Amino acid sequence: NKKAISCADKVLEMEPKNIKALYRRASAYKALKDYPAALKDLKLTLELDTENRAAKQLMDEVKKLWGVQLRGMQGSTKPAPKPAPKKQGKKIQIVQESSDSESSDSESS
């Protein structure tokens, strides 16, 4: 598969829009599980030849495989920790004494 990529690279150096080379390199990338590279080549292939059924089919396969790989990677990571709950202080009621009670005490004496 690496040899196929190397051969396709050589062709694409001379002919950057060679559909056959792009498709073959995408197939090789798929076999090597380099799905982003495969999708890049397939996208370009389909821009050049919108009716290419083989490229459309391969793109669907690569997208499915890459989705499975991404889901597997997500399952192996720990979820983000939840933020600690905010600590709430105790509410204290402030009571003020009125000055009336002090004056009434002094008047009775």
Side-chain angles (χ1 to χ4, degrees):
N1 292 324
K2 290 182 181 183
K3 187 175 181 181
I5 292 170
S6 177
C7 289
D9 285 341
K10 289 177 185 174
V11 172
L12 290 167
E13 283 177 18
M14 294 181 286
E15 298 177 53
K17 295 181 179 183
N18 185 305
I19 293 170
K20 193 172 187 178
L22 286 166
Y23 179 81
R24 287 190 175 171
R25 188 169 70 177
S27 296
Y29 280 137
K30 176 192 169 222
L32 294 171
K33 298 182 180 181
D34 187 350
Y35 304 128
L39 288 173
K40 181 180 175 186
D41 282 351
L42 289 167
K43 183 178 176 186
L44 183 55
T45 301
L46 290 169
E47 285 175 7
L48 298 169
D49 181 7
T50 57
E51 299 302 315
N52 190 320
R53 281 196 260 159
K56 287 179 183 179
Q57 182 179 352
L58 187 60
M59 182 176 265
D60 288 342
E61 291 172 17
V62 171
K63 284 181 178 179
K64 286 178 188 173
L65 290 168
W66 195 21
V68 168
Q69 184 181 44
L70 290 175
R71 282 193 296 277
M73 290 170 61
Q74 289 173 349
S76 66
T77 60
K78 293 180 181 177
K82 293 181 181 178
K86 292 182 180 179
K87 294 184 178 180
Q88 296 182 354
K90 295 181 180 178
K91 293 183 180 179
I92 301 173
Q93 184 177 8
I94 300 175
V95 179
Q96 292 181 337
E97 292 185 30
S98 65
S99 59
D100 291 344
S101 63
E102 289 178 12
S103 61
S104 61
D105 288 341
S106 59
E107 288 177 9
S108 58
S109 7

